[in-house]
Amino acid sequence: MGIVARQSAHTVVANLTNKFVIGLLIDVLISRLLGTSGKGEYTLFVTTITGMTALFSFGIPFANTVVGARGDVSHPKLIQLSLYAALIATGISITLFLIGREYGWLTFVLPKTLSESYLFLAALTLPFIFLNTFLLGLLIGKGEIIFHNYVILGSQACNLIVITVAAFFGWLTSTVAIASFLLTFICSLLAIVWKCKSDFQQMFDEALHLFEIRRVTRISVFVYLGAIMQFLNYRLDTYFVEFYLGSSDLGIYITAVRMAETLWILSASMSNAIVATAAAGNPKAREASFKLALLALFIGTASALGLVILGKMLIVILFSEKFMLAVEPLFLLLPGAVILGISNVLGPYLASIGRPDVNLYNAFVAMLVTIALDMWLIPSFGVNGAAIASSLAYTLFAMLTLISFSIITKLDLRRTGALVLELKNDVQISIEKTRQRFGF
């Protein structure tokens, strides 16, 4: 699988470091020092900001990747378009913040303890958050996947440093943790500007043409709608748990969710390389993506078994006994989290070959199932009900993606056995090359 395998391997290592070293340390500090309620408040803010970037990103990050990889629009012009889009997205977001404060529903999506000064800080940071999100997609389109990984790691490392210092001096509160989270976007954007400084210097040399904007929006519109559906599918349970059960139970539930989502690291890492390769027209991308989806499924299953055995102990050691109630929802989330790895690889592939509409339709169906199951199960079964609902919705989305991939690419699923054998050989070759490279 060549360059796809190398870039995927680097991304996997970077994401594992980000999740299991940097991210885990941040999570442990916040959990132990802020407790379930403080962690719930922090999670509510992070989820809302993440949701806003999905809601108002207009699909531009993915479009930047695909259009940038194809060379349909120059990179300086894509930066120019990203800047305009970031300002528009910021204006929409701030308007919604003001309306929410006026009519009182802002406290439903943001922590009630957040002061006006921090709301103002969040508003000031929004243009940088959006622009950073758009340009991370462009980095992948430029083939700078390894640098992209370092940017993510570096910005998260800054977050860890700030939170550690605040914890050491006894300053850590949910609002300080939120400010540190916002800082990660600034650090990331500064690194991107440095890497792409020549493109930034040229971004206003030529005016954007309407046909170039259309090339981006032709891809972005379906990706945008699909991303909204997927975000709602992944994160609606956060708001339902907060609404029905409160911040403390949300802190418990989100701990289980974060641990289950570690199974996505491999599949999400693979998708970056697949998107750039497929968009560039590589004829081997179809089978490579399917084999990577199988690899994600196998490794995800093994990792899930590890969490079944060690999950309870890890939760107590890392987050304290206050979070013991996260064990059951974790176990209930695992089946869906494992199977979802399939769609995390195959979905981006479909979008990169010009079928982002399929992901939209599949995500919409899964979202409807999520809403119905959350409203039915959470009031009766609490956080366990939310876990069951999410696991079932993840499974449905993965199966729909797999069927769609098979139909569109005309890949005969009866060849799965043969592709598994090819995958085995690919892995053995990769291991042997790694051994030779490092002299093992």
Side-chain angles (χ1 to χ4, degrees), residues 113-190:
T113 58
L114 202 63
S115 66
E116 289 287 325
S117 60
Y118 276 92
L119 286 175
F120 179 70
L121 176 63
L124 286 179
T125 314
L126 281 174
F128 303 104
I129 293 175
F130 283 113
L131 185 59
N132 173 74
T133 303
F134 299 159
L135 296 185
L136 282 172
L138 181 59
L139 277 182
I140 298 173
K142 287 166 65 72
E144 297 287 354
I145 294 176
I146 292 177
F147 182 78
H148 169 277
N149 297 338
Y150 287 139
V151 169
I152 300 296
L153 282 173
S155 60
Q156 276 292 84
C158 291
N159 188 14
L160 174 60
I161 291 170
V162 172
I163 286 179
T164 302
V165 171
F168 180 80
F169 287 102
W171 300 334
L172 187 61
T173 62
S174 58
T175 50
V176 171
I178 286 169
S180 181
F181 166 74
L182 294 174
L183 179 65
T184 63
F185 296 97
I186 307 298
C187 295
S188 175
L189 183 58
L190 289 174

Side-chain angles (χ1 to χ4, degrees), residues 12-31:
V12 168
V13 173
N15 286 347
L16 287 173
T17 304
N18 189 30
K19 183 73 177 183
F20 290 111
V21 180
I22 301 174
L24 182 60
L25 288 172
I26 292 172
D27 202 8
V28 167
L29 286 171
I30 290 175
S31 299

Side-chain angles (χ1 to χ4, degrees), residues 23 28 106 110 151 157 213 242 248 305 324 331 365 399:
V28 167
L106 192 63
L110 290 174
V151 169
I213 297 175
E242 166 71 18
S248 184
L305 291 174
M324 273 284 290
F331 292 167
V365 173
M399 292 300 98

Side-chain angles (χ1 to χ4, degrees), residues 60 142 167 236 360:
I60 290 175
K142 287 166 65 72
L236 265 178
L360 168 61

Side-chain angles (χ1 to χ4, degrees), residues 307-323:
L307 282 177
V308 170
I309 297 170
L310 302 174
K312 181 177 180 179
M313 181 180 69
L314 288 173
I315 287 174
V316 173
I317 291 175
L318 296 174
F319 308 114
S320 80
E321 293 185 356
K322 297 177 183 177
F323 291 84

Side-chain angles (χ1 to χ4, degrees), residues 136-406:
L136 282 172
L138 181 59
L139 277 182
I140 298 173
K142 287 166 65 72
E144 297 287 354
I145 294 176
I146 292 177
F147 182 78
H148 169 277
N149 297 338
Y150 287 139
V151 169
I152 300 296
L153 282 173
S155 60
Q156 276 292 84
C158 291
N159 188 14
L160 174 60
I161 291 170
V162 172
I163 286 179
T164 302
V165 171
F168 180 80
F169 287 102
W171 300 334
L172 187 61
T173 62
S174 58
T175 50
V176 171
I178 286 169
S180 181
F181 166 74
L182 294 174
L183 179 65
T184 63
F185 296 97
I186 307 298
C187 295
S188 175
L189 183 58
L190 289 174
I192 297 171
V193 171
W194 174 81
K195 182 67 175 179
C196 303
K197 53 182 177 292
S198 61
D199 290 331
F200 271 89
Q201 292 168 354
Q202 301 172 37
M203 68 175 171
F204 292 116
D205 288 350
E206 298 180 49
L208 270 170
H209 297 293
L210 183 60
F211 75 90
E212 292 173 319
I213 297 175
R214 284 175 177 169
R215 285 179 177 173
V216 175
T217 56
R218 191 181 300 123
I219 297 171
S220 67
V221 62
F222 281 107
V223 173
Y224 166 57
L225 295 174
I228 293 174
M229 294 300 146
Q230 283 185 270
F231 172 80
L232 293 175
N233 189 27
Y234 296 161
R235 293 291 177 260
L236 265 178
D237 52 357
T238 298
Y239 296 107
F240 277 111
V241 171
E242 166 71 18
F243 178 77
Y244 285 115
L245 307 175
S247 295
S248 184
D249 278 346
L250 176 59
I252 293 292
Y253 179 66
I254 206 65
T255 299
V257 171
R258 294 291 184 262
M259 292 190 70
E261 287 178 355
T262 59
L263 304 182
W264 300 353
I265 291 175
L266 181 68
S267 55
S269 303
M270 293 170 177
S271 66
N272 287 343
I274 282 295
V275 166
T277 303
N282 191 320
K284 297 181 179 180
R286 182 191 70 161
E287 291 194 356
S289 65
F290 188 71
K291 287 191 283 187
L292 288 175
L294 290 174
L295 181 61
L297 183 62
F298 296 149
I299 296 180
T301 300
S303 302
L305 291 174
L307 282 177
V308 170
I309 297 170
L310 302 174
K312 181 177 180 179
M313 181 180 69
L314 288 173
I315 287 174
V316 173
I317 291 175
L318 296 174
F319 308 114
S320 80
E321 293 185 356
K322 297 177 183 177
F323 291 84
M324 273 284 290
L325 292 177
V327 174
E328 284 189 24
L330 169 62
F331 292 167
L332 294 169
L333 282 164
L334 289 178
V338 170
I339 298 173
L340 190 66
I342 296 173
S343 60
N344 286 342
V345 177
L346 301 184
Y349 172 85
L350 290 174
S352 66
I353 62 171
R355 294 303 307 269
D357 55 315
V358 174
N359 293 326
L360 168 61
Y361 303 143
N362 292 341
F364 179 71
V365 173
M367 184 198 70
L368 293 180
V369 171
T370 298
I371 294 173
L373 291 176
D374 277 343
M375 295 179 68
W376 176 35
L377 296 174
I378 293 176
S380 300
F381 301 100
V383 292
N384 287 345
I388 294 170
S390 293
S391 195
L392 291 173
Y394 295 164
T395 302
L396 173 63
F397 182 59
M399 292 300 98
L400 291 174
T401 302
L402 178 60
I403 294 169
S404 302
F405 176 85
S406 175

